[in-house]
Amino acid sequence: MMLLLLSISGGMGGFSYFSVGYDAQTLNQAFAGKIEGFPSSGWGSGGGGFAIINNFLIGGFGFGSSMHAEGDSLFAEVSCGGGFFEVGYIYPFWKLFGMVELGIGGIGTSIFMHEPLGDASFDEVLDDPGRTTRISAGGIGFMGGAGLIVKLSPFCFLSLRGMYTYSPSQPDWRFEDGSNCTGGPDMNPSSWVLSVGIMFGGVGEE
């Protein structure tokens, strides 16, 4: 009965490593004949934190990840990132804390491409600066997830989280100067996200 009534407050924050799912099938179709074998996930890092008030948490986090593939005449790097305001509920079980969370924020994707560049002088770059291309797209995003936080010491915690990010937006690809890029990959911006991280802070019982 005491466990069911246990209330905690405090806060923690830190950094994490993320594995993020990508719509590899759509990418491979879009780059067919140029590049094959885009991986279905990428790795990256990020961080965040939250306050805990009577078992309810409020805070935010952000992450970025990337992966790449290359062919005989083209290299491409695909990057994905997001940032979310989150609320949730956390509950202690001995040295573990179980948590569920919901968030709202934004998701963005960019594709960086170039042919084999070779050496060049700065004057040659000024004469022909279009040696690389980057297009990007983004929109509103929603997040739902759950996780475990393991207490390593009174002020240090191990965070293990699994999430799914959803965006109703379809990619509206643009060049870096804001011009439209039509006919870009119709990627699904929604994806799964896994993270492991170290957090610092403190939690007390009330």
Side-chain angles (χ1 to χ4, degrees):
M1 185 67 179
M2 291 295 292
L3 182 63
L4 295 176
L5 298 177
L6 187 59
S7 178
I8 60 172
S9 294
M12 59 184 72
F15 60 91
S16 299
Y17 290 101
F18 290 82
S19 178
V20 181
Y22 284 82
D23 186 359
Q25 181 177 358
T26 299
L27 284 170
N28 286 322
Q29 290 174 349
F31 283 86
K34 293 287 188 179
I35 294 177
E36 296 181 1
F38 275 99
S40 59
S41 63
W43 289 89
S45 60
F50 49 81
I52 306 170
I53 305 172
N54 294 328
N55 299 88
F56 290 94
L57 65 87
I58 181 171
F61 74 95
F63 67 90
S65 71
S66 64
M67 55 87 168
H68 71 271
E70 57 186 299
D72 294 334
S73 61
L74 186 66
F75 170 92
E77 180 181 69
V78 183
S79 302
C80 175
F84 295 90
F85 167 78
E86 62 176 336
V87 296
Y89 191 82
I90 185 169
Y91 202 83
F93 297 93
W94 189 53
K95 291 187 177 182
L96 299 176
F97 299 86
M99 61 183 291
V100 293
E101 53 191 330
L102 295 172
I104 183 172
I107 300 172
T109 304
S110 69
I111 302 176
F112 172 73
M113 296 172 282
H114 66 77
E115 297 178 342
L117 297 176
D119 297 331
S121 69
F122 186 68
D123 288 338
E124 289 174 320
V125 174
L126 291 179
D127 291 336
D128 182 19
R131 295 160 60 85
T132 64
T133 300
R134 185 185 301 273
I135 59 174
S136 58
I140 190 172
F142 303 92
M143 179 274 297
L148 286 174
I149 296 177
V150 183
K151 187 174 184 180
L152 303 178
S153 76
F155 306 105
C156 183
F157 305 83
L158 173 67
S159 169
L160 304 170
R161 300 163 75 178
M163 295 160 272
Y164 186 79
T165 60
Y166 168 75
S167 176
S169 306
Q170 291 301 309
D172 181 18
W173 296 106
R174 295 182 180 273
F175 294 105
E176 291 179 287
D177 66 354
S179 303
N180 291 321
C181 176
T182 60
D186 191 20
M187 293 176 60
N188 182 354
S190 305
S191 67
W192 53 263
V193 179
L194 302 176
S195 76
V196 55
I198 296 294
M199 306 190 77
F200 301 95
V203 177
E205 300 177 8
E206 295 185 350

